[in-house]
Amino acid sequence: MTVLVLADHDNKALGAATLNAVTAATELGGDVHVLVAGNGCAAVADEAAKVAGVAKVLLAEDAMYADALAENMAALIVSLADSYDVILAAATTSGKNILPRVAALLDVAQISEIVEVVSPDTFVRPIYAGNAMATVQSSDAKKVITVRSTNFAAAAATGGSASVEAASAAADTGLSTFVGAELSKSERPELTSAKIVISGGRGMQSGDNFHLLEKVADKLGAAVGASRAAVDAGFVPNDYQVGQTGKVVAPQLYIAVGISGAIQHLAGMKDSKVIVAINKDEEAPIFQVADYGLVADLFKALPELDEALG
Amino acid sequence: MKVLVAVKRVVDYNVKIRVKADKTGVDLANVKMSMNPFDEIAVEEGLRLREAGVATEVVAMSVGPQAAQETLRTALAMGADRGILVKTDETVEPLGVAKLMKAVAEEEKPDLIIVGKQAIDDDSNQTGQMLAALLGWSQGTFASEVNLDGGTAKVTREVDGGLQTIELKMPAVVTTDLRLNEPRYASLPNIMKAKKKPIDEKTPEDLGVDISPRLKTLKVEEPAKREAGVRVESVAELVDKLKNEAGVI
């Protein structure tokens, strides 16, 4: 069996979630190949070749792959698919955009956001926002799978010595073009790969008050997140959102501040190793999943926390 | 210009679901069902395009049992012009839904198809992308803004790390993210009016589509429960526990 892992990257560096996807691919058994498709991204291919467990890296460089637009990326993957039994990607927004298109072109089902490999054709995936776990068996000869990266350990970034081979570009579909991107610039770690995450909810009362969280985040080397309520209230941008419809995180430490703990939010953080909740409402559901709960006014607790961390 | 939107009947988002004791699935008996929230956003976006004079007709379709007609009536009460129900009692996977939608699209010839990015029951997040692939159309997934101009659609997408804007050749498939719009509520007069709007019924056989499932659900279980931990009295105690007990800072 040979598995093709679609690398997530920005043409400069390999996205962290790809390392988790490689682990999931390794659990399926067989050889693991990684496809790096982009433009001017040879450094990413070299990085992928060093990942432990990777046997081969395919590098497809063309201007039309620079922004990973789904139509051309899917056409490329389908052109390579004959040699593979499984095509797999991390369930990033890019993986979720491209892989269902690949699956449909191959006339197979996609198995979305698996959290466990039971056997090469059987997987566990969350449904109903993680309130139920379904074990599903695929009858398709070729399988297309996305992986919830927080449920698989990251493969070692070094130790491998895979060969890098050029893959030819597929025909340009000409269906879509890239116009622009507005990416949040932050010195803090990326939300989905941070070891510590501190999130604020509606209790923060305003976007300005998030600086109280940011001060603590900087002392801890943490990423800053938010609940859907805080995003909907306009306190912080959309990409801060942790939850069923936002990002799924599983850091070593998750600190929820002024977050009540709606099911929607819990679905995005309940696999964190240690959960801390700070909320003035002692009945808040977040306390039911927190390892350490502090009933306190966050406007007093956050400055105290900042102080205590020196 | 014609817009086709798809709506799915799902367990209402406020319902706390229960897994069946025999692990065969989720208990749907006597549970409140509603339109998938992302699909409400899709309907709303179609209606706004019609109200802006860009679209001339909004057609809503659904795939599901007879009861899915209620979900279509909701779309009609919001303002969609007519409905199409592809009736089946089988569980249809996203690939099957995409094939049924393709067959309907070939009859209806819409210029734009809008669907929710995922349904809140199976959380697959596949149908729109699959439909675009089968039709050979462009796709704008996780849209937070859609602007149509001549033969193109400019779509702003919510991606990891921020926003991405792309231009799609029409016809196109767009999937909605949460912040594309705020769906309207259907007014009582519009609910009454919707009862008279036509809903055309078809079956997968009529459309010549094979919807046999590719996945077999072996079991459905409750997720592992997290136990509530301890309450701390002060920030100092919290920091001490995180340092010395949990060892995470």
Side-chain angles (χ1 to χ4, degrees), chain A residues 65 72-84 106 167-171:
Chain A
Y65 302 132
N72 283 337
M73 290 291 282
L76 172 67
I77 295 167
V78 168
S79 76
L80 299 167
D82 276 353
S83 317
Y84 295 96
L106 296 173
S168 0

Side-chain angles (χ1 to χ4, degrees), chain A residues 97 107 112 135 180 272 290 292, chain B residues 126 141 165 214 218 226 229 245:
Chain A
N97 186 33
D107 192 30
S112 294
T135 303
S272 305
Y292 301 107
Chain B
Q126 300 173 5
T141 53
T165 302
R214 309 298 183 85
L218 303 180
R226 246 192 123 97
E245 192 176 275

Side-chain angles (χ1 to χ4, degrees), chain B residues 157-177:
Chain B
R157 308 178 51 232
E158 295 198 12
V159 297
D160 295 336
L163 298 171
Q164 181 196 56
T165 302
I166 55 174
E167 200 167 84
L168 306 176
K169 205 167 132 182
M170 301 266 277
V173 176
V174 166
T175 81
T176 62
D177 217 317

